[in-house]
Amino acid sequence: MKGDEKLFPLRNVKRICTDTVKIQNFLEQARIGFLGLSSEDVPYVIPLNFVWLKDAIYFHGAEEGRKVTYIEHNPRACFTISENYGTITSQIPANTDTAYMSVIIEGSLVQVTDINEATEAMQVMLDKYVPGYYERQLGKTHLERYVSPLGSKTGIYKLAAVSLSAKEKEEIPDRMFYEGRSVQNDRA
């Protein structure tokens, strides 16, 4: 990291997840991530479909628009993925908690120009979001020729992880909230 970047240690060290297999599985299965960008001190966060491939986040979108303008002005980005697994009850209100996992990835965005890398990333994305739907693998020509109904070509972007941090709070099976559960039931 550059000298002008600040590192913020996780305050609640009990929530740090260092299990690389768990993190890898989480990143491969999670459905939505949030891309955080900033240009001229104006933040912009957008939800995206994504894939985790070779220690990088890949996503696609139009080659023009607000997201691309922000990336061109400042390629440094943050990508956050979080899944809520439910609420953990407690007879003490202040101890009510959430079961979750989250990962924050930081780095710089680049547009993928290598057609082989772009095709691989898009194939992994298709395999993730519509597994088994297509009879054959995505062809390179599809990516080269496709133009959206709005007239824009598709850009594939990559955020190589310069830093990655993960946090979690595991479910406590006998304390998970469900509709109809009340503190009176738990006291009985």
Side-chain angles (χ1 to χ4, degrees):
M1 288 184 149
K2 297 177 191 171
D4 61 341
E5 294 182 12
K6 295 179 182 177
L7 291 176
F8 295 97
L10 292 176
R11 200 172 45 85
N12 190 345
V13 295
K14 293 185 286 185
R15 301 276 171 108
I16 294 173
C17 176
T18 58
D19 182 335
T20 56
V21 172
K22 184 182 270 189
I23 294 167
Q24 178 80 18
N25 289 335
F26 175 75
L27 291 172
E28 289 172 357
Q29 300 300 315
R31 309 292 284 178
I32 302 291
F34 294 86
L35 176 66
L37 303 169
S38 178
S39 179
E40 299 177 20
D41 293 329
V42 177
Y44 181 50
V45 178
I46 52 174
L48 296 169
N49 293 335
F50 71 96
V51 292
W52 175 249
L53 177 65
K54 300 177 183 172
D55 294 329
I57 293 290
Y58 287 84
F59 62 89
H60 72 288
E63 285 188 336
E64 56 191 54
R66 184 175 180 184
K67 173 178 66 209
V68 174
T69 300
Y70 271 58
I71 293 169
E72 289 170 350
H73 286 132
N74 180 7
R76 290 177 56 192
C78 174
F79 199 84
T80 301
I81 307 100
S82 180
E83 294 284 332
N84 178 329
Y85 301 132
T87 303
I88 302 167
T89 62
S90 172
Q91 293 182 26
I92 302 167
N95 291 339
T96 299
D97 208 340
T98 301
Y100 72 95
M101 182 154 190
S102 66
V103 174
I104 298 175
I105 298 165
E106 296 175 290
S108 291
L109 287 161
V110 295
Q111 185 170 5
V112 177
T113 56
D114 178 85
I115 191 66
N116 293 319
E117 182 181 6
T119 303
E120 178 184 14
M122 292 306 296
Q123 182 61 56
V124 172
M125 187 169 288
L126 289 171
D127 292 342
K128 176 180 179 178
Y129 290 97
V130 287
Y133 183 76
Y134 295 101
E135 296 172 349
R136 56 185 162 190
Q137 298 287 302
L138 183 67
K140 295 175 192 173
T141 56
H142 180 79
L143 289 179
E144 293 170 329
R145 295 181 185 168
Y146 179 79
V147 176
S148 80
L150 297 176
S152 176
K153 291 195 61 75
T154 298
I156 290 85
Y157 298 87
K158 174 183 180 178
L159 177 66
V162 172
S163 73
L164 183 151
S165 61
K167 290 174 54 177
E168 70 175 330
K169 172 71 177 176
E170 292 184 352
E171 293 179 60
I172 303 172
D174 63 335
R175 289 186 40 209
M176 299 307 293
F177 179 77
Y178 53 84
E179 192 70 34
R181 184 174 189 162
S182 71
V183 72
Q184 286 83 13
N185 300 113
D186 289 348
R187 289 183 184 145

